[in-house]
Amino acid sequence: MSEEREAVLGPFAEVGSAGAPARLGIMGGTFDPIHFGHLACAQQALEAMQLDGVLFMPAGIPSFKRDRKVAPAADRVRWCRLAVAGNDRFAVSTLEVDRPGITYAVDTLSTLRTICPASVELYFILGADAALTLPRWYESQRLATLARFAVATRPGYPFSETDGRALEEQGFRLDPFRVTPLDISSSNLRARLAEGLSVRYLTPDPVAACLMDGLWYRKDGVAHDQ
Ligand code: ATP
Ligand code: MG
């Protein structure tokens, strides 16, 4: 069990050991690619919910994005690792990308629930756009029992009190919190990369450099000048 805990939780393997109360954040996403919107969201969740750490959890085969080609999991994981390097409250887990088949949050959270001591409260962090879709997630009723849901503000996606109440009526325990509005999306980065434009200042420098070094998302197969 402790080996599995180490493999899945990395530096957070010891959270809640000896029954100490702890709070672990899980930042799920496709991260295709990761950007400052994700990082600011995780950082501000950490502060708002007083989390011990945030585990970035890149999706293997995301159930909502089967209609378009997603960058290979190994690359998305690598960009996430580059992005969180140097922050000891952030780590990347490959639990979802290592699991065969479509990724469902309910499976991820039930694995984490089994691995973590009962004294660890799990906080699934997600933006307002994603939160509004929760009732349509696979096994949403069971999902609601497995974690608290930290809902971040996101520009362009209003999340009203009525929206919150509707989710609570379905059993979701919510912690809405404000994030510095950053109108950045992976779609936006992909569109820039497709045109050969720079993604510097939209994602950490090592990620931007890696993205522009390669041919990911390029329409014409020509490398960037940086
Ligand atoms: P895409 O444009 O491909 O959908 P994305 O930028 O929405 O990419 P995802 O990987 O889909 O990124 O998002 C992962 C999680 O991060 C989601 O819960 C999403 O709401 C949240 N998120 C992404 N960007 C922001 C942002 N700028 N501010 C707050 N939350 C964000
Ligand atoms: Mg998205």
Side-chain angles (χ1 to χ4, degrees):
M1 170 67 115
S2 83
E3 242 173 60
E4 188 187 10
R5 205 151 60 203
E6 179 90 43
V8 173
L9 301 177
F12 308 132
E14 295 306 315
V15 289
S17 57
R23 297 176 169 193
L24 182 64
I26 297 106
M27 178 84 202
T30 314
F31 303 118
D32 188 24
I34 191 162
H35 55 71
F36 281 133
H38 299 128
L39 292 156
C41 179
Q43 176 62 30
Q44 295 181 22
L46 190 87
E47 295 161 354
M49 260 68 65
Q50 300 181 316
L51 306 177
D52 293 277
V54 175
L55 210 50
F56 285 71
M57 185 68 72
I61 306 173
S63 60
F64 290 133
K65 296 189 179 170
R66 277 178 286 174
D67 49 337
R68 71 166 180 83
K69 227 173 133 223
V70 168
D75 294 321
R76 291 181 290 112
V77 167
R78 183 149 59 100
W79 301 327
C80 286
R81 289 206 168 116
L82 287 172
V84 307
N87 184 342
D88 59 11
R89 297 273 177 160
F90 285 179
V92 179
S93 175
T94 58
L95 174 64
E96 286 194 356
V97 303
D98 292 340
R99 192 194 301 133
I102 296 167
T103 297
Y104 295 113
V106 70
D107 297 330
T108 307
L109 289 175
S110 57
T111 301
L112 291 174
R113 197 57 283 170
T114 319
I115 289 176
C116 293
S119 61
V120 177
E121 184 84 75
L122 301 176
Y123 286 76
F124 194 86
I125 305 162
L126 72 185
D129 58 314
L132 289 168
T133 69
L134 276 172
R136 299 200 302 275
W137 290 25
Y138 184 60
E139 290 195 21
S140 74
Q141 280 192 327
R142 186 158 73 88
L143 177 69
T145 65
L146 295 169
R148 299 190 63 87
F149 289 78
V151 182
T153 51
R154 182 172 187 182
Y157 299 94
F159 186 85
S160 65
E161 278 185 27
T162 317
D163 293 324
R165 267 199 304 275
L167 285 174
E168 280 168 352
E169 275 163 22
Q170 306 208 30
F172 287 96
R173 291 162 296 152
L174 303 184
D175 296 290
F177 69 105
R178 301 204 141 273
V179 176
T180 306
L182 293 173
D183 193 2
I184 304 176
S185 65
S186 301
S187 312
N188 181 221
L189 270 75
R190 292 193 300 274
R192 293 188 62 82
L193 290 162
E195 297 300 328
L197 299 171
S198 174
V199 291
R200 277 193 88 181
Y201 313 119
L202 297 175
T203 190
D205 274 346
V207 180
C210 185
L211 285 166
M212 293 188 287
D213 235 11
L215 298 177
W216 292 280
Y217 314 113
R218 284 303 302 254
K219 262 194 325 221
D220 52 11
V222 178
H224 291 256
D225 324 327
Q226 299 285 316

